[in-house]
Amino acid sequence: MAEELMEEASTAAAAATPFQLQFDKPIPFQIKMAEWNPEKDLLAMVTDDSKVLLHRFNWQRLWTISPGKHITSICWSPDGKIIALGTEDGLVLLHDVENGKMLRTIKSHDVAIVCLNWAEDDPLSRPDKDEFLSYEDRTTRFFPPAPVMPRIGGLSSGDTGLADENEEAIPEFCSASCQRFNILCSGGKDGCVCFSIFGIFPVGKININKIPISVESSGKRNYQLQDASISKVSLSRNLQKLVLLCYGKLVDTNSLSHNYETAALHCLYLDTSIFFNRKNELHQVSQQASSIQDLVEVVRASISLISKQWSNAMNLFREKFSALPNLIAAHGAESSSEDEFLSLLFGTRTSPALHQFLASSLGEAGLKRIAKAVDSAGREIRGVVSEHLQPAVEIISFRLAELRGLARWRSRFQIIGLDEKLIDGVTESIGMLVVQVERFSRVAATVLYLFQNFFTWVLKCVKILLNEPIDQVPAANSELVVIFLKFLLDKDPIKQLLEADERIDCDMDTARHVEQLVVFGGFTDTHFLERSLVKQFNELEDSLKEAFLMPFTTISSQIHCQGLLPLYPVTSADTLSSTCTLTSISFYKQDEDSQPEESSYNLTGYVCFKIPDGSLNKRNCIGVIKDSGNCYTTLSMASLSGFLLHMPDEYECVDLSLYKDNQIVLLLSERSPSDSPGRSWMVMLQTQSFSFTPLSRTSPSNIYSLQKLAALNLQLDTDYGKVRSIPHTVSAPLAVSESRGVACVFSSRRHALVYILDEDEDEDEDEVSDME
């Protein structure tokens, strides 16, 4: 479907003329965020009431979803197949582009996620020497496709982290995500940045309020940010540098007298070269770990479904049989329910209480209903075990064995935190879980067989009691005594294996035999038979969490600050809101002539931002910063340069975006009274047309290097870049697509204006399309 959408929309774009669609009714919402798909002609939008809409290039709406949470950020996966949504409560929601269904919910932050960026490893950045490290996932050679989530009527997708309504979500999502190494970065309102490989495997987290910051010309002073809130993050395509915009105070940790009490917008440069230097190792580990995590959720859902089905059947069983003790007491007898059935089992006369229970209270219809419920639960359990639980556990075991082999290559994998001892412990835990699943399967089969015989015998007894003398009760197999002892005495072996804190008795001979086998196999756990299936699964989860936490903390510790550039002070609390911040970050490949000798692939980073009126004694200005330094050295002020651009006073910049080939797209709206229609302009500027001035400072007290830059005036009535007039007042957001060369602008009249940026059209050729 996605390929068909791309072909159809690309045909429309090839016409090089904007097109128009009209709808009969006005739109009842306002767009607050919009992002073009990086690979297809699709535009995702978020409304002010947090609905998510997906439109084609020709403005046909494909779907609308309401996640039920306040959406604070949005981005696309690099392949354009997944939409990532950040929420106010710190969740990342991953949705399928095909139908809008949620693939996964990830708890990344404790506060609102204000920005998302999903970067993919650029093949051009890979050295030839890394080719021998290409890794093949061998699981498909030995196993059929991974099992999907069983359908669970009583659980919501939030209980497992995966969408149970889309049973194809797991294998499709994993296979699509593992094609090329990519990292999802999310920035929180509290200053935390999280990194997730494939968007699902957490591999790092930093708090910019806690990392030491180097400030040039400050001697030996150490600085830190205080009360920092992230505005935007962008990871370079070679994964070596993260550029981060944040608000906060710069604090001298050695001397409080040198603190800068005024909050400011800072541009922070983080060294993420660990992702580049160890991307092969991280790719291999993450590929296995993310698949294991998917399968762990399948195991969890399978056990939950089994527990639910068996609990429902046993509740009905005990509900019907609970009437017998009351009847015994009503007849003045002192026997128990077990005594009554044992007397019936061994051929003695039936008491009046048991006769009334079987003939009247329970009856043939009631007994058949219980038998049907238990039989249905048994079939469901067998199906879940054979189709979901057992295959998932076996594939987890194989994948952990693969990780165990990687962990033994210490020179390459120890540096990313893959600990051999921890992986050995997880491997042992999954081995014990395989045994527990087999044990559960055998116990369940035995119990269900005995239940079937029990119900058959009781049904015969009921028929005889209703039609013939009492003393003609049919004989039964003595194995039925087990049913009475296990179930009527509330010692259900299936329930016992599904209890988290249940301890299972094991005879001495079996314990000694198991201990010999376990020790002979090189394991250390000789008491696993005393644990239930759920207890063993919980131990597996704990060991997995501990093992995967080691790469997480190891990678996090290797991400550090390269440098910080304060951009402008902030005096208004409203400006601190990320929604009011107009910023854009992008990276462009350097010319071959300017490539440093130590690198065959390097990027130049650009940061574009609007300066609030009054800050730095500027008004109606934007700033552009260029970092021409390579990614292998600490950030130097010598590598930073910039320029300021003053907008015409009668217009204000409502949004901006960096565009391909070092271009900037500005969206300007006329400052006019509310009762008169205003005009707007979309301006495309080539950064190479401006003179970048090196940034420097002489002392820490003079922290705002941009203050010394003279602002160049932008004249719209001259041939200055590419300027287009828009006959409406416009508002943010400005959605620009580098891959398709288009921009979508939203007017105050709730129209959407779609422009072809790379074509020179006259004003009368620009068309407007209404939004539905």
Side-chain angles (χ1 to χ4, degrees), residues 72 87-88 90 109-115 186-193 207-209 227-231 246-247 576-579:
T72 53
T87 68
E88 191 173 35
H109 298 261
D110 297 323
V111 296
I113 299 175
V114 296
C115 53
S186 56
K189 196 174 182 180
D190 59 351
C192 288
V193 183
N207 188 335
I208 61 174
N209 291 291
D227 301 326
S229 175
I230 295 174
S231 172
C246 63
Y247 291 104
L576 290 173
S577 172
S578 61
T579 57

Side-chain angles (χ1 to χ4, degrees), residues 371-392:
K372 182 178 180 181
V374 174
D375 181 67
S376 176
R379 284 187 282 106
E380 185 74 24
I381 289 172
R382 286 192 293 268
V384 172
V385 170
S386 62
E387 297 175 13
H388 303 276
L389 180 58
Q390 193 163 12

Side-chain angles (χ1 to χ4, degrees), residues 245 267 269 565-567 584-586 604-609 622-628 639-644 658 664 687 692-693 695 705-706 709:
L245 297 179
C267 185
Y269 295 86
L565 176 67
L567 298 180
S584 182
I585 306 174
S586 189
T604 300
Y606 286 83
V607 179
C608 185
F609 54 92
I622 67 165
V624 180
I625 303 297
K626 178 172 68 173
D627 172 23
S628 57
S639 68
L640 296 179
S641 58
F643 68 86
L644 300 181
L658 287 162
I664 304 174
T687 60
F692 283 85
T693 302
L695 299 178
S705 303
L706 300 181
L709 298 181

